[in-house]
Amino acid sequence: MKRTTHAARAAALAGAVALVLTACSGDADESSDDDAAGGGESDGSPLVIGSLLPVTGSLAFLGPPEIAGVDLAIEEINEAGGVNGGDIEVVHGDSGDAENLAVAIQTVDDLLSQSVHVIVGAASSSVTYGVIDTVTEAEAVMFSPANTSPGLSGYSDFYFRTAPPDSVQGNALGNLVAGDGHEKVGILVFNDDYGTGLRNVVEETLVAEGVEVTYGGADANEEFAPKQNNYEAEVQAVMATDPDAIVLIAFEETAVIVPQLFQAGYDTSNLYFTDGNTANYPDLDAGVLEGAKGTIPGAFPSDEFQERLLGIDPDLTEYSYSAESYDAVILSALAAQLGGTNDAATVQANLPAASGAEGGTECATYAECVELIDDGEDIMYVGQSGVGPFNEDNDPSSAFIGIYEYDAENAITWTEAIFGEVAG
């Protein structure tokens, strides 16, 4: 099997547009030589994965594909012989959302009491901020498939993610809006760490492209409170600025705001969403969102991968962050296999090497990678999500941003993927 760079492979994927997006992030503490990969014999204890994913709350639509990704990885790892000779185990838990942080706090306490080594989650950056110190101070690995807040880059040696920071998605979204020819853009954004962080990057990109931000900019103090029953004031305020496009950064508030924009006479085909609200809206009037667009970090799951996920959960209708969740579990298992011991410190120390940060032979499945490890080779896991090896901030060094467009049934259809690199 030849050795190649991840970027070269990504450039060859069908439907992907090669586009380098630059994102800046802080420096992470470097691991000492004592934490290097390898060494150690497993004591026979299983590697235990916990999940902190949304079963309830405003991001509950993301829960099923993420949980299916975790369970598929667990199944395939165990079918391939497990980790260090034993089956990997999983304990599932609900993250809730940022408005009900007590749910995540209780789940984390429960998972840590069960001695999980890796917690896959949370989906929401705001939820992660509420529990990350508890997890990492316990020296368990926190591995998010969906966090995009730039502030989490390099947050802890024990924090990793397979989703790129919003500096990549925001840049892609801003370029999409500008590339569609819009010149005056309003931004409706809720007052949330995720929302304002993403807004800042979108605004910066738009301004750099010569686009006027008419409403909702970082200095305007025009964010709205989450989970209101009515947004008529905000709708009238943004429409008064006569935008030819509106970027809507929100969660469940979207289902309230879109009809109010439509009823106020706005052409809702000129709406742009982000990963927090790029979803199917079957309950809205048919055609309301036709032509609108949105972004979701990550490569679009292949038909073959979707079929494998449906074998886990036949009721899946969306696949957002399923690949990132799957890869988080596979990478964690490979890190333990590289180190020869099933514990959190071993996973943490070996995750960069498992991702290919030190170079290595590409491998696309857990079984294939383990065979290389057994042969004494360095590996570069090339997973379903299409992300590159971890950088010094434990962020993926490269990633895809998927572009989606709404049809007449208010359902999203993948149109293309933009490849971006994250500069550490």
Side-chain angles (χ1 to χ4, degrees):
M1 188 174 298
K2 67 180 181 180
R3 296 169 185 260
T4 63
T5 66
H6 180 82
R9 173 185 180 274
L13 288 178
V17 179
L19 175 65
V20 176
L21 307 170
T22 303
C24 296
S25 50
D27 296 331
D29 294 334
E30 296 181 0
S31 299
S32 67
D33 292 339
D34 293 337
D35 290 332
E41 294 290 335
S42 176
D43 64 0
S45 299
L47 182 67
V48 184
I49 304 290
S51 74
L52 180 66
L53 298 170
V55 177
T56 62
S58 57
L59 289 181
F61 72 95
L62 292 178
E66 290 174 335
I67 293 167
V70 169
D71 286 343
L72 178 61
I74 297 291
E75 179 180 278
E76 293 181 356
I77 290 167
N78 289 338
E79 287 177 350
V83 184
N84 292 314
D87 280 355
I88 186 172
E89 297 181 359
V90 63
V91 181
H92 286 298
D94 182 15
S95 67
D97 59 22
E99 296 296 309
N100 298 281
L101 192 57
V103 174
I105 292 172
Q106 181 61 56
T107 297
V108 165
D109 288 344
D110 289 344
L111 294 175
L112 293 176
S113 73
Q114 296 181 66
S115 300
V116 300
H117 303 116
V118 179
I119 293 178
V120 177
S124 161
S125 295
S126 295
V127 170
T128 290
Y129 279 119
V131 297
I132 186 172
D133 290 337
T134 300
V135 176
T136 57
E137 286 171 9
E139 297 192 342
V141 173
M142 190 169 193
F143 202 151
S144 175
N147 286 168
T148 55
S149 170
L152 289 167
S153 295
Y155 189 97
S156 167
D157 288 345
F158 279 82
Y159 175 80
F160 295 80
R161 54 182 165 184
T162 42
D166 277 329
S167 42
V168 180
Q169 180 183 194
N171 189 288
L173 179 57
N175 282 321
L176 175 66
V177 175
D180 283 346
H182 297 293
E183 299 179 350
K184 298 177 63 179
V185 178
I187 303 176
L188 284 171
V189 56
F190 62 170
N191 192 8
D192 171 273
D193 288 335
Y194 158 81
T196 56
L198 185 51
R199 182 272 314 278
N200 294 346
V201 182
V202 172
E203 180 184 16
E204 179 181 343
T205 303
L206 289 172
V207 170
E209 292 295 319
V211 176
E212 178 188 357
V213 175
T214 65
Y215 182 87
D219 296 330
N221 295 318
E222 290 167 336
E223 301 85 8
F224 59 81
K227 296 189 177 181
Q228 298 175 196
N229 294 322
N230 189 297
Y231 294 93
E232 289 183 0
E234 289 81 3
V235 165
Q236 293 300 325
V238 68
M239 289 189 63
T241 67
D242 194 27
D244 54 31
I246 293 176
V247 175
L248 175 54
I249 305 175
F251 292 152
E252 62 191 24
E253 299 84 3
T254 304
V256 177
I257 293 173
V258 169
Q260 292 183 344
L261 282 167
F262 184 78
Q263 291 164 9
Y266 183 73
D267 180 358
T268 47
S269 68
N270 290 318
L271 283 174
Y272 291 82
F273 296 165
T274 65
D275 59 314
N277 58 355
T278 299
N280 298 329
Y281 292 93
D283 294 334
L284 294 181
D285 291 342
V288 167
L289 286 175
E290 186 173 8
K293 297 179 181 179
T295 54
I296 300 176
F300 189 73
S302 67
D303 290 343
E304 187 271 339
F305 185 59
Q306 289 184 41
E307 285 300 315
R308 286 154 58 192
L309 290 165
L310 288 169
I312 298 294
D313 183 352
D315 295 326
L316 284 181
T317 58
E318 298 188 27
Y319 299 90
S320 300
Y321 297 114
S322 56
E324 286 77 8
S325 300
Y326 174 90
D327 284 347
V329 177
I330 297 290
L331 282 165
S332 298
L334 289 173
Q337 191 75 34
L338 277 169
T341 305
N342 294 335
D343 58 63
T346 299
V347 172
Q348 181 271 332
N350 288 278
L351 271 171
S355 74
E358 301 170 10
T361 303
E362 287 189 359
C363 48
T365 68
Y366 178 76
E368 185 181 344
C369 293
V370 169
E371 184 176 349
L372 292 172
I373 293 171
D374 290 343
D375 289 340
E377 293 197 46
D378 294 331
I379 65 169
M380 178 182 292
Y381 173 64
V382 180
Q384 294 291 332
S385 60
V387 300
F390 291 118
N391 63 16
E392 64 181 6
D393 290 326
N394 296 342
D395 288 337
S397 56
S398 60
F400 289 100
I401 303 297
I403 309 300
Y404 296 77
E405 185 167 340
Y406 281 87
D407 63 18
E409 301 302 319
N410 303 319
I412 54 173
T413 300
W414 179 87
T415 61
E416 63 177 327
I418 299 175
F419 180 70
E421 293 183 339
V422 184

